[in-house]
Amino acid sequence: MSASIILKNLRVPSVIGVYEREKTAPQTLKLDLELSLRSANASISDKLHDTVDYDTLIKAIREFARAHTHELLERFTYALAQHLLADFPLKHIQITAWKEIVAQAPTDIAVRVNMAAGERWQHNAPSGFEDDRYND
């Protein structure tokens, strides 16, 4: 048996962006999270200590968003996933972070990160990977 906690539409303010206008004030990010718990014991015990306390989780997410500034939504989402995996009893996490942008027309953009406990991003491309983005 496994158990997951799903949070949808959690709104958190954070200073994030590449452009100077984005770095002067917090923007509201919308987060969707799916947390796979290390244990499903709470399903049987009905005890808070056997699961992740939602209030503690949300407080940790809000504090992280307030305390960390990033230029890219990709970096914010990855760093938040690492932080939550380190601080809570999770096997896996999926985070989708949404940000409103105003470019040609107002729209929302999202970045999704899937990460297992103990997983770390590698700075180097996998063996045999060719970066051909400039060879179109």
Side-chain angles (χ1 to χ4, degrees):
M1 176 167 61
S2 64
S4 295
I5 294 174
I6 299 171
L7 294 170
K8 292 194 63 83
N9 300 317
L10 177 63
R11 287 171 168 71
V12 297
S14 189
V15 176
I16 189 165
V18 174
Y19 303 107
E20 290 305 315
R21 68 181 181 274
E22 296 176 302
K23 297 177 182 183
T24 59
Q27 300 177 56
T28 299
L29 302 178
K30 185 182 82 169
L31 305 176
D32 297 331
L33 298 94
E34 184 165 346
L35 315 166
S36 296
L37 304 177
R38 282 191 209 146
S39 169
N41 289 347
S43 302
I44 298 165
S45 72
D46 199 27
K47 301 294 182 193
L48 183 59
H49 67 267
D50 284 333
T51 190
V52 172
D53 182 337
Y54 312 146
D55 288 337
T56 303
L57 175 67
I58 291 169
K59 182 179 177 184
I61 294 168
R62 289 189 185 284
E63 177 59 26
F64 180 90
R66 185 198 61 72
H68 294 82
T69 60
H70 294 96
E71 289 192 347
L72 300 178
L73 192 56
E74 291 87 342
R75 179 66 185 135
F76 169 87
T77 309
Y78 177 82
L80 177 59
Q82 280 191 315
H83 176 72
L84 296 177
L85 283 167
D87 287 359
F88 292 92
L90 305 174
K91 289 191 299 189
H92 181 269
I93 189 167
Q94 176 177 286
I95 302 175
T96 306
W98 297 85
K99 174 183 168 183
E100 183 178 306
I101 61 169
V102 179
Q104 301 279 334
T107 190
D108 291 340
I109 189 158
V111 170
R112 178 172 292 144
V113 168
N114 286 288
M115 187 180 298
E119 188 176 337
R120 294 283 184 244
W121 179 71
Q122 301 297 316
H123 288 280
N124 300 322
S127 177
F129 177 80
E130 298 287 330
D131 186 355
D132 65 348
R133 63 184 160 189
Y134 300 113
N135 297 324
D136 292 338

